[in-house]
Amino acid sequence: MCPDGRKLVAGMSNEDLVTAIDERLKKLPKRELFLGSHVDYVIPEFQLQGKAFTVYFQISDTTKKLSQILIRLIEQESPEPQEKIFSKLESWLKRQYGKPLDLIDERRTSADGFLFIDLTRIWRFPTTTIELGYSWDNQIDASLLTIRYFPTRVKQRTTPSKALQLTAR
């Protein structure tokens, strides 16, 4: 799943990505490392809701296959919160996928003037989870806005054994 409607799936190789994506896909001069994954290819200057993002195709270090698509706002420093962009993206995702399953709205302030905002929206489907996230603080003017597409992890539920229920009499 990709924001421009392209059908990309977890498990694709870098070669598969090159075949599936148009000339906007660029090979990085040097591999970027993430926790448990790496990126060789990106779509730079990807336009979404009037803002420039970079699309990172994260390849698992263990399987060597696509494990996550990370879309990150290029502008990562802001003296003011960028909540309007977050709201635009949230509306855009709602139109495509409906109401998010999980919502987190956390705002903290301290007596010494520290401000922190953490906003998250999660859409979970049988094969793909989509997470819109935004965090900002006024200490270092850090502003991180991302959309992540990654495989849904199936949680196994356990039910009490009938045998245990019968012996409890």
Side-chain angles (χ1 to χ4, degrees):
M1 213 181 272
C2 198
D4 64 359
R6 214 176 301 273
K7 185 75 173 164
L8 301 176
V9 294
M12 293 178 89
S13 66
N14 272 331
E15 294 75 23
D16 295 333
L17 291 171
V18 170
T19 302
I21 301 174
D22 59 33
E23 68 280 349
R24 294 179 301 165
L25 186 71
K26 304 295 180 208
K27 183 162 178 52
L28 293 172
K30 183 179 178 207
R31 175 176 280 181
E32 286 192 31
L33 303 178
F34 289 78
L35 184 63
S37 66
H38 61 273
V39 173
D40 295 316
Y41 289 92
V42 300
I43 298 177
E45 301 290 330
F46 181 78
Q47 293 297 310
L48 196 56
Q49 298 296 306
K51 293 289 185 177
F53 290 78
T54 301
V55 180
Y56 297 86
F57 297 93
Q58 294 180 322
I59 303 294
S60 166
D61 290 337
T62 54
T63 66
K64 310 295 187 244
K65 302 290 183 186
L66 181 64
S67 61
Q68 176 171 274
I69 299 171
L70 173 68
I71 304 165
R72 185 168 64 196
L73 184 65
I74 292 173
E75 182 185 341
Q76 293 185 37
E77 282 188 37
S78 175
E80 299 295 324
Q82 301 277 341
E83 290 181 78
K84 284 184 181 179
I85 301 168
F86 178 88
S87 294
K88 280 184 177 182
L89 290 171
E90 179 182 14
S91 295
W92 176 71
L93 288 165
K94 278 182 179 178
R95 284 192 302 276
Q96 291 185 67
Y97 304 112
K99 191 175 170 184
L101 182 66
D102 296 319
L103 291 92
I104 298 169
D105 286 315
E106 185 178 345
R107 297 163 194 282
R108 287 183 263 154
T109 59
S110 65
D112 62 352
F114 177 71
L115 303 172
F116 176 79
I117 297 171
D118 181 25
L119 307 172
T120 304
R121 304 293 183 265
I122 298 173
W123 291 262
R124 195 170 290 115
F125 301 100
T127 60
T128 304
T129 297
I130 303 164
E131 180 184 277
L132 171 63
Y134 178 67
S135 62
W136 175 85
D137 78 61
N138 67 341
Q139 296 298 89
I140 57 173
D141 294 336
S143 184
L144 185 62
L145 179 61
T146 61
I147 303 172
R148 298 186 319 133
Y149 293 78
F150 55 94
T152 298
R153 289 172 181 78
V154 179
K155 292 182 181 178
Q156 290 187 337
R157 295 185 179 182
T158 57
T159 55
S161 167
K162 294 256 184 212
L164 292 175
Q165 291 175 350
L166 292 174
T167 59
R169 290 186 179 190

